[in-house]
């Protein structure tokens, strides 16, 4: 039935006489067209469609090939791969690497960079994630403004099937695995300033643990400890905490005041000032967001 | 000829990144299925990340994690592209999720994810 519309549309385009006065096949010649000639207008429309169908693929392929060849030509003028004196490795890098440990206290220079020197950027990043999950919620959340009786019936049916077919092996394995996943996620978040990882990767791991649990035990079981209320509280309080702590450090930094936050000994878990707090905030936001995406796409509710 | 070959081998990551970019871009333009368009978009994202990561690499140096308190710039690779890639991955995930949500709404309305069919059905609806 879907295909029928398409074929009818294609035949409608195809049947028009090609010998129409198509003096100018430009798409924007509407303004001067006489209102009387309905047939002429129709034919022009068909001409436009035919022109589009015929040229779109060729133009697309030509544009892509040109773009790729220009880019690959440019590659040969880049600095040598792995060269020491490439212009990207300039005095900013020197500063970050040589002073980073003293100024931020983070052993992981990337963590010190993104959560201290460029923390405003990372705040924007977390806000982008929050904004994305908010817009997905606006689009997919099933509430009083977005109800479809047929869909509710389908989801209720699915719930019944889920309840009747509890997979014992899967659930037992998940019961063993999920605590390890969550623990590993927490480890990655807490060691963000000491080792590879940080808020984003650790949060993604924790979110994956929640997703696995939710997929094997169903929504009822996970809603006992993670529902809309906890989601809202966790994400907003984490973002607020991030914003407030960073606002404090920006305020003191801009006015040349001492922050009063000890940097600690590099390498210890309680070191590097605010970076640990910010990592935890980011990790919470990311974990909630990942699980939120899954739940919204799978069930339309958290 | 061997000179060109050695150049290509030297720039293999950048060349592969741009080939991947081309593959993603061509699919983005030519695929009719909206889900495949989103996948192509993600391929383009990955190519940009590969390019950035390859630009930050410096031969014979370690990852930018201070070991034994040595803060010498000649010992670690460039940390800035790593941070940029981190930002990029997060934004790419958010954008993909938003696209997929829009596609799901379109599917609910038109019962198809083919772009041209949606256009025809939308036109039909507008004419009514």
């Amino acid at each position: 039935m879907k295909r029928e519309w398409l074929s009818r549309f294609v035949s409608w385009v195809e049947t028009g006489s090609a010998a129409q006065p198509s003096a100018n096949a430009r798409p924007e010649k509407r303004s001067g067209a006489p209102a009387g000639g309905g047939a002429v207008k129709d034919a022009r429309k068909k001409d436009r469609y035919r022109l589009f169908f015929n040229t779109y693929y060729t133009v697309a392929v030509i544009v892509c090939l040109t773009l790729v060849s220009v880019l690959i030509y440019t590659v040969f003028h880049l600095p040598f791969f792995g060269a020491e004196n490439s212009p990207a490795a300039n005095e900013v890098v020197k500063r970050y690497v040589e002073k980073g440990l003293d100024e931020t206290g983070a052993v992981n220079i990337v963590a010190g960079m993104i959560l201290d020197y460029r923390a405003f950027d990372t705040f924007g990043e977390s806000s982008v994630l929050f904004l994305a999950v908010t817009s997905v919620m606006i689009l997919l959340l099933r509430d009083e403004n977005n109800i479809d009786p047929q869909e509710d019936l389908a989801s209720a049916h699915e719930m019944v099937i889920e309840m009747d077919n509890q997979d014992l092996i899967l659930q037992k394995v998940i019961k063993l695995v999920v605590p390890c996943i969550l623990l590993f996620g927490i480890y990655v978040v807490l060691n963000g300033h000491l080792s590879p990882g940080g808020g984003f990767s650790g949060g993604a791991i924790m979110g994956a643990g929640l997703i696995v649990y939710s997929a094997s035990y169903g929504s009822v079981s996970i809603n006992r400890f993670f529902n809309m209320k906890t989601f809202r509280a966790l994400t907003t309080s984490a973002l607020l905490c991030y914003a407030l702590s960073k606002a404090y450090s920006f305020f003191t930094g801009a006015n040349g005041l001492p922050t009063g936050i000890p940097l600690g000994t590099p390498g210890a878990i309680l070191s590097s000032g605010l970076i640990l707090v910010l990592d935890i905030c980011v990790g919470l936001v990311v974990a909630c967001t990942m699980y939120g995406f899954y739940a919204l796409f799978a069930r339309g509710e958290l | 000829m061997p000179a060109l070959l050695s150049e290509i081998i030297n720039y293999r990551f950048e060349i592969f990144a741009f080939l991947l970019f081309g593959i993603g871009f061509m699919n983005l333009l030519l695929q009719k299925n909206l889900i495949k368009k989103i996948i192509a978009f993600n391929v383009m994202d990955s190519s940009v990340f590969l390019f950035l990561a390859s630009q930050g690499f410096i031969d014979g140096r370690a990852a930018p994690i201070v070991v034994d308190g040595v803060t010498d710039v000649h010992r670690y690779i460039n940390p800035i592209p790593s941070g940029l890639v981190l930002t990029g991955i997060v934004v790419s995930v958010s954008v993909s999720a938003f696209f997929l949500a829009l596609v799901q709404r379109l599917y609910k309305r038109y019962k198809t994810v083919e772009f041209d069919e949606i256009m025809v059905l939308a036109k039909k609806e507008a004419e009514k």
Side-chain angles (χ1 to χ4, degrees), chain A residues 2-3 5-6 9 49 56-57 60-61 63-64 67-68 71-72 75-76 78-84 88-89 92-94 96-98 101 107-110 113-114 121 125 128-129 132 135-136 139-140 146 151 194-196 200 290 293 297, chain B residues 7-8 10-11 13-15 18-19 21-22 25-26 29-30 32 51 54-55 57-59 61 64-66 71-73 76 78-80 82-84 86-87 90-91 93-94 97-98 100-102 104-105 108 111-112 116-117 120-121 123-124:
Chain A
K2 281 177 277 168
R3 297 278 166 188
W5 288 117
L6 190 67
F9 175 70
Y49 278 124
Y56 178 74
Y57 291 97
V61 170
V63 165
C64 284
L67 187 67
V68 169
L71 286 174
I72 287 180
V75 161
F76 293 106
L78 283 174
F80 236 57
F81 175 72
E84 283 195 20
V92 181
V93 178
K94 199 168 152 59
Y96 283 169
V97 172
E98 292 187 342
L101 189 62
V107 173
N108 182 350
I109 295 171
V110 177
M113 192 185 92
I114 64 166
D121 183 35
E125 217 175 317
V128 164
L129 259 184
S135 17
V136 170
L139 286 167
L140 298 181
N146 179 19
E151 213 174 278
L194 304 179
S195 62
F200 288 104
M290 290 297 147
F293 281 151
F297 277 107
Chain B
E7 288 252 293
I8 287 175
N10 173 52
Y11 289 118
F13 290 107
E14 285 94 338
I15 289 172
F18 286 143
L19 284 179
F21 187 86
F25 193 50
M26 191 127 32
L29 290 180
L30 296 184
K32 290 205 171 70
F51 179 71
S54 74
Q55 283 301 296
F57 180 73
I58 299 172
D59 252 346
R61 298 197 190 172
I65 292 169
V66 176
T71 54
D72 181 14
V73 74
Y76 306 107
N78 189 350
I80 295 175
S82 318
L84 295 181
L86 200 66
T87 312
V90 173
V91 173
V93 167
S94 319
F98 182 56
L100 284 170
L102 286 175
Q104 195 168 342
R105 286 308 292 257
K108 269 183 197 162
K111 299 291 173 218
T112 173
D116 45 357
E117 289 175 18
V120 173
L121 290 172
K123 207 168 195 53
K124 216 86 203 167

